[in-house]
Coordinates of all heavy atoms in Angstrom, one line a residue:
Chain A
D386 N 10.5 14.4 -37.9 CA 9.9 15.7 -37.8 C 8.6 15.9 -38.6 O 8.6 15.5 -39.8 CB 11.0 16.8 -38.3 CG 10.4 18.2 -38.2 OD1 9.8 18.5 -37.2 OD2 10.5 18.9 -39.2
I387 N 7.6 16.3 -37.9 CA 6.3 16.4 -38.6 C 6.3 17.7 -39.4 O 6.5 18.8 -38.9 CB 5.1 16.4 -37.7 CG1 5.2 15.2 -36.7 CG2 3.8 16.4 -38.4 CD1 4.2 15.3 -35.6
P388 N 6.1 17.7 -40.8 CA 6.2 18.9 -41.6 C 5.1 19.9 -41.2 O 4.0 19.5 -40.8 CB 6.0 18.4 -43.0 CG 6.1 16.9 -42.9 CD 5.8 16.5 -41.6
F389 N 5.4 21.2 -41.3 CA 4.5 22.3 -41.1 C 4.0 22.3 -39.7 O 2.8 22.6 -39.4 CB 3.3 22.3 -42.1 CG 3.8 22.1 -43.5 CD1 3.5 21.0 -44.2 CD2 4.6 23.1 -44.1 CE1 3.9 20.8 -45.5 CE2 5.0 23.0 -45.4 CZ 4.7 21.8 -46.1
M390 N 4.7 21.9 -38.7 CA 4.2 21.8 -37.4 C 5.4 22.0 -36.4 O 6.5 21.5 -36.7 CB 3.6 20.4 -37.1 CG 2.4 20.5 -36.3 SD 1.6 18.9 -36.3 CE 1.2 18.8 -34.6
T391 N 5.2 22.8 -35.4 CA 6.4 23.1 -34.5 C 6.1 22.4 -33.2 O 7.0 22.4 -32.4 CB 6.6 24.6 -34.4 OG1 5.3 25.2 -34.2 CG2 7.3 25.2 -35.5
A392 N 4.9 21.9 -33.0 CA 4.6 21.4 -31.6 C 5.4 20.2 -31.3 O 5.7 19.9 -30.1 CB 3.1 21.0 -31.6
D393 N 5.9 19.5 -32.3 CA 6.7 18.3 -32.1 C 8.2 18.6 -31.8 O 9.0 17.7 -31.6 CB 6.6 17.3 -33.2 CG 7.0 18.0 -34.5 OD1 6.6 19.1 -34.7 OD2 7.7 17.3 -35.3
N394 N 8.6 19.9 -31.9 CA 10.0 20.2 -31.7 C 10.3 20.8 -30.3 O 11.3 21.4 -30.1 CB 10.4 21.2 -32.8 CG 10.1 20.6 -34.2 OD1 9.5 21.3 -35.0 ND2 10.5 19.4 -34.4
T395 N 9.3 20.7 -29.4 CA 9.5 21.3 -28.1 C 9.9 20.3 -27.0 O 9.3 20.3 -26.0 CB 8.2 22.0 -27.7 OG1 7.2 21.0 -27.8 CG2 7.9 23.2 -28.6
G396 N 10.9 19.5 -27.3 CA 11.4 18.6 -26.4 C 10.4 17.4 -26.4 O 9.9 17.0 -27.4
A397 N 10.1 16.9 -25.2 CA 9.2 15.7 -25.1 C 7.8 16.2 -25.3 O 7.4 17.3 -24.9 CB 9.3 15.1 -23.7
V398 N 7.0 15.3 -26.0 CA 5.6 15.7 -26.4 C 4.6 14.6 -26.0 O 5.0 13.5 -25.5 CB 5.5 15.9 -27.9 CG1 6.3 17.1 -28.3 CG2 5.9 14.7 -28.7
S399 N 3.3 14.8 -26.2 CA 2.3 13.9 -25.8 C 2.3 12.6 -26.7 O 2.9 12.7 -27.8 CB 0.9 14.5 -25.9 OG 0.7 14.9 -27.2
F400 N 1.7 11.6 -26.2 CA 1.8 10.3 -26.9 C 1.2 10.3 -28.4 O 1.9 9.8 -29.3 CB 1.2 9.2 -26.1 CG 1.6 7.9 -26.5 CD1 3.0 7.5 -26.4 CD2 0.7 6.9 -27.0 CE1 3.4 6.3 -26.8 CE2 1.2 5.7 -27.4 CZ 2.5 5.3 -27.3
P401 N 0.1 10.9 -28.6 CA -0.4 10.9 -30.0 C 0.5 11.6 -31.0 O 0.8 11.1 -32.1 CB -1.7 11.7 -29.9 CG -2.2 11.7 -28.5 CD -0.9 11.5 -27.7
L402 N 1.2 12.7 -30.5 CA 2.2 13.3 -31.4 C 3.4 12.4 -31.6 O 3.9 12.4 -32.7 CB 2.7 14.6 -30.7 CG 2.0 15.9 -31.1 CD1 2.6 17.1 -30.4 CD2 2.1 16.1 -32.6
V403 N 3.7 11.7 -30.6 CA 4.8 10.7 -30.8 C 4.5 9.7 -31.9 O 5.3 9.4 -32.8 CB 5.1 10.0 -29.4 CG1 6.1 8.9 -29.7 CG2 5.7 11.0 -28.4
L404 N 3.2 9.2 -31.8 CA 2.8 8.2 -32.8 C 2.8 8.8 -34.1 O 3.2 8.2 -35.1 CB 1.4 7.7 -32.4 CG 1.4 6.7 -31.3 CD1 0.0 6.1 -31.1 CD2 2.3 5.5 -31.5
L405 N 2.3 10.1 -34.2 CA 2.3 10.7 -35.5 C 3.7 10.9 -36.1 O 3.9 10.6 -37.3 CB 1.6 12.1 -35.4 CG 1.4 12.9 -36.7 CD1 0.5 12.1 -37.6 CD2 0.8 14.2 -36.4
S406 N 4.6 11.3 -35.3 CA 6.0 11.5 -35.8 C 6.5 10.1 -36.2 O 7.3 10.0 -37.2 CB 6.8 12.1 -34.7 OG 7.0 11.3 -33.6
M407 N 6.2 9.0 -35.5 CA 6.7 7.7 -35.9 C 6.1 7.3 -37.2 O 6.8 6.7 -38.1 CB 6.4 6.7 -34.8 CG 7.2 6.9 -33.6 SD 6.8 5.7 -32.3 CE 7.8 4.3 -32.7
A408 N 4.8 7.6 -37.4 CA 4.2 7.3 -38.7 C 4.9 8.0 -39.8 O 5.1 7.5 -40.9 CB 2.7 7.6 -38.6
I409 N 5.2 9.3 -39.6 CA 5.9 10.1 -40.6 C 7.2 9.5 -41.0 O 7.5 9.3 -42.2 CB 6.1 11.5 -40.1 CG1 4.7 12.2 -39.9 CG2 7.0 12.3 -41.1 CD1 4.4 13.3 -40.7
M410 N 8.0 9.1 -40.0 CA 9.3 8.5 -40.2 C 9.1 7.2 -41.0 O 9.8 6.9 -41.9 CB 9.9 8.2 -38.8 CG 11.2 7.5 -38.9 SD 12.5 8.5 -39.7 CE 13.9 7.3 -39.6

Side-chain angles (χ1 to χ4, degrees):
Chain A
D386 178 46
I387 308 170
F389 311 114
M390 217 169 138
T391 44
D393 55 319
N394 306 127
T395 52
V398 295
S399 64
F400 199 62
L402 264 184
V403 171
L404 283 186
L405 184 61
S406 66
M407 287 175 90
I409 295 241
M410 176 69 181

